[in-house]
Amino acid sequence: MPVGLVAVPLARVVLGESSLPGTRIDLLGMALATCGLVAVVWAIVHGESDGWTSRTVLGTFAAGAVLLAAFVLWERRARQPLLPLSLYRIRPFVLSNVVSVAMYFGVFGSIFLLAQYLQVAPERSPLHAGVLTLAWTLMPTFVAPLAGALTDRVGGGRLMALGLFLQAAGPAWLALAAGPDTPYSRLVGGMVIAGAGMGFAFAPTAAVVLGLVAREHHGKASGANTTVREIGGALGIAVLSGVFLRYGSDHGGPEQFVDGLLPAVWTGVAVVLAGALCALAIPRPARRTAPDPAAPAQDRTPTPA
């Protein structure tokens, strides 16, 4: 809250308003996408507690699928679509979204469990545990500017791959070190590595996504990437929590918590590694001054990322 209280008025003073003349809001597309995504995320969040095969969860998944299918059909015919489907003919754009899903799946799911682990083994207050996780969550603040400066030289895909490999290495370190009474000094190294990985992935992902499309589509491309990231985070928390409860418990003391934590974290590591391989498949594009997302994929050469 203190950060928000400073950021909101500062944004109003420093940031200029942006708008595109001659455009209209795709209200129907917005409604279909919002309702469809809310349904899918609700089903993901409630899958473990209500049962993945329960009528409620399956019905909500089905409703979300129908709404999102209707969204796609509408976007194909809308004169000014909320999300131009031509973006998904751009291979690096699709791969960047897959990378974002994998990253948030592993990171959000792991941090969700790690914050609870730090309260259990040994017993700490929630505030104390939250402060200890800053070794992970503050690292992107220092690493992301460096990654942004290197993106054009190295290539966004390579930096994203490096970031995800580090994000896999960090939780792997934690999984190997975590025990019922592991001192924090043996965990902090893994948190720092994972946080550095987040920093190396954030800026290049934005650069790749925005470098692939014309300026007037920056907001739509960025919004699409942000949306899949949040879905990946919700899915990661739900799936890793399910794995945790399959093998352990949060009511049986540190030993049972660790029994569930380890397979859950290794699951997240596997997903993040898969995302790293997808990042390696992102080509380093040649220079072009005016990319057009509506052009055929074989005729489009994006700007460097």
Side-chain angles (χ1 to χ4, degrees), residues 177-270:
D181 55 355
T182 302
Y184 178 72
S185 59
R186 292 182 58 190
L187 302 172
V188 66
M191 297 185 196
V192 170
I193 292 174
M198 290 176 65
F200 276 114
F202 281 151
T205 302
V208 169
V209 169
L210 298 181
L212 292 167
V213 301
R215 185 177 181 84
E216 59 266 25
H217 293 295
H218 278 185
K220 297 178 180 181
S222 177
N225 184 254
T226 300
T227 299
V228 299
R229 287 203 316 249
E230 298 304 326
I231 293 175
L235 187 61
I237 292 174
V239 172
L240 296 192
S241 296
V243 174
F244 170 85
L245 292 174
R246 171 68 177 80
Y247 294 97
S249 171
D250 57 350
H251 298 298
E255 292 81 6
Q256 290 192 28
F257 196 97
V258 171
D259 289 342
L261 175 71
L262 299 185
V265 170
W266 284 118
T267 301
V269 168

Side-chain angles (χ1 to χ4, degrees), residues 153-163 165 200 204 279-280 282 284 305:
R153 296 182 182 181
V154 179
R158 296 177 183 179
L159 282 178
M160 281 191 278
L162 172 62
F165 279 125
F200 276 114
L280 286 175
I282 297 176
R284 186 177 181 181

